[in-house]
Amino acid sequence: MDMSIMKLFTKTMPFFITRIFIYGIFGLAALIFLGIMVAIGFLVVKMFGESSGAFLIVMLIAFGVVYGALRFVERYVLYMIKIGHVSVIVELLRTGKIPEGKGQVAYGKEQVTTNFGTANVAFVLDSMVHAAVRQIQRWIMRVGDMFSFIPGSKNVIGIINAIMSIALNYIDEAIVSYIFVRKSEGRDETVWKSASDGVVLYAQSWKGILKTSVGSVIFIYLFNIVVFLIFAFPLMFLSKMVTSNTPDAGFLFGALALIGAYVLTTLLKRALIDPLVTIAMIRSYQINIRSLEPAMDLQQKLLGVSSKFKNLVNKSKQEENSAV
């Protein structure tokens, strides 16, 4: 069922609300922490003067702590929700509905546990798929370099490579969606086998997915620029007001305002835009691989060009042998 991106967005709204809630709590905590670090930095400026590198060290520590905490939240809190969202998208694309009597988030978590056992298995598999696709994309672009003798083709290949590199952050979830499709079809195969076949199918159909990738990357860039400016101007104005009596600290607090704008933009992007682009990539992937079977000759070629893909295939064989 070819459900539109916006319809998938509205039908899976509970996942967006959950993400907004979690990122909102994190953002509030991050701003409070940054506020405390600002106060410490202000004292440092008062005590040692603007020329002291201590303020810069305090700000670097603050940024490092916030970034590290964000990675922790995404790895141990949000990952199950993200993959659960993938399972619901697949079900909606297949049947147009999900089983009644269950909340979407609860249903998605249940699907992850049923198909992967634990979120940790899904995370490890996702990481392996991501690494394999990265190597395969580089190989695809190197093949494209053969046409570099055509005027302007090198620039085009470079642009495509940059677009696919950014889109890679969402393609691994699209490939993971293939695992849910195979399970829903009742296929008796390991998730590692489904994932390796999903990678091959991506290599077969990447040209068809490119249009979605281009649109997604343009959308991401425009969103980041516009939202960053929306946050940056009022924060810069606030920092100017705060430092009106201490002009020497103006530059330092202005820099902090830009960091704050970047953090808020990143949180809003990850809460709203990342799952929306994931929907677009999954939909495009599923449409483009429809009726395709993994090409064994291409699989053999990929084994020779990607060590990460070979690891994925070997893991699949190990799991199949242990199940016998």
Side-chain angles (χ1 to χ4, degrees):
M1 183 175 182
D2 291 341
M3 195 173 289
S4 70
I5 294 172
M6 290 311 299
K7 197 164 186 180
L8 287 168
F9 168 73
T10 55
K11 280 187 171 289
T12 60
M13 188 59 70
F15 286 97
F16 287 86
I17 294 172
T18 302
R19 289 173 68 98
I20 291 169
F21 178 74
I22 293 173
Y23 276 113
I25 292 175
F26 177 85
L28 181 61
L31 288 176
I32 292 172
F33 174 75
L34 286 173
I36 294 171
M37 297 305 285
V38 166
I40 294 173
F42 189 76
L43 289 174
V44 169
V45 171
K46 284 288 189 181
M47 293 171 62
F48 302 103
E50 185 183 0
S51 60
S52 173
F55 182 85
L56 179 60
I57 293 173
V58 170
M59 291 302 101
L60 287 175
I61 291 172
F63 190 75
V65 170
V66 170
Y67 181 77
L70 177 61
R71 297 291 292 174
F72 178 85
V73 168
E74 291 180 329
R75 168 68 178 87
Y76 293 100
V77 179
L78 280 168
Y79 190 75
M80 179 75 86
I81 294 171
K82 181 170 73 170
I83 299 301
H85 191 191
V86 172
S87 73
V88 172
I89 294 167
V90 168
E91 191 65 22
L92 287 171
L93 285 171
R94 284 185 61 251
T95 66
K97 60 183 180 179
I98 61 171
E100 296 181 3
K102 294 181 180 179
Q104 283 191 19
V105 176
Y107 172 79
K109 288 182 177 179
E110 180 184 285
Q111 288 299 302
V112 175
T113 304
T114 300
N115 291 297
F116 294 94
T118 65
N120 189 58
V121 172
F123 180 81
V124 172
L125 183 144
D126 193 354
S127 299
M128 292 179 70
V129 167
H130 185 91
V133 173
R134 181 178 293 280
Q135 287 186 334
I136 290 167
Q137 283 188 176
R138 288 173 180 167
W139 171 71
I140 290 172
M141 290 302 105
R142 282 200 297 270
V143 171
D145 284 344
M146 291 190 301
F147 302 97
S148 59
F149 63 90
I150 301 174
S153 64
K154 196 167 185 179
N155 294 330
V156 173
I157 292 169
I159 292 171
I160 293 174
N161 193 19
I163 290 170
M164 298 305 289
S165 294
I166 296 172
L168 174 61
N169 295 319
Y170 309 94
I171 287 170
D172 46 351
E173 272 78 45
I175 292 172
V176 168
S177 75
Y178 183 68
I179 296 172
F180 291 108
V181 171
R182 300 292 280 183
K183 291 295 183 182
S184 65
E185 292 173 348
R187 303 297 182 106
D188 185 20
E189 61 187 32
T190 67
V191 293
W192 306 96
K193 173 67 166 60
S194 298
S196 58
D197 285 349
V199 172
V200 175
L201 288 170
Y202 168 71
Q204 287 176 236
S205 58
W206 72 272
K207 291 180 182 178
I209 301 170
L210 183 60
K211 182 180 177 180
T212 302
S213 299
V214 172
S216 298
V217 170
I218 292 172
F219 180 59
I220 290 169
Y221 270 112
L222 288 175
F223 176 87
N224 284 341
I225 292 169
V226 172
V227 174
F228 177 79
L229 292 175
I230 289 173
F231 283 128
F233 283 118
L235 287 175
M236 289 287 287
F237 178 74
L238 183 62
S239 69
K240 188 174 182 179
M241 289 181 61
V242 170
T243 59
S244 59
N245 296 325
T246 54
D248 289 344
F251 174 78
L252 297 174
F253 281 84
L256 184 63
L258 294 178
I259 292 174
Y262 173 78
V263 170
L264 291 172
T265 301
T266 299
L267 291 176
L268 198 57
K269 171 187 171 290
R270 298 199 181 194
L272 285 175
I273 304 307
D274 282 0
L276 185 60
V277 174
T278 298
I279 286 174
M281 294 304 296
I282 290 173
R283 181 178 180 275
S284 179
Y285 174 81
Q286 291 293 339
I287 290 173
N288 279 279
I289 68 170
R290 191 173 294 165
S291 75
L292 289 180
E293 289 294 330
M296 291 301 101
D297 57 336
L298 179 58
Q299 183 189 67
Q300 292 303 311
K301 188 173 292 185
L302 296 180
L303 287 171
V305 301
S306 172
S307 60
K308 303 298 183 182
F309 179 68
K310 181 180 276 189
N311 291 340
L312 187 61
V313 172
N314 288 339
K315 180 67 175 176
S316 168
K317 292 177 180 178
Q318 290 172 9
E319 291 292 319
E320 289 174 353
N321 292 334
S322 63
V324 175

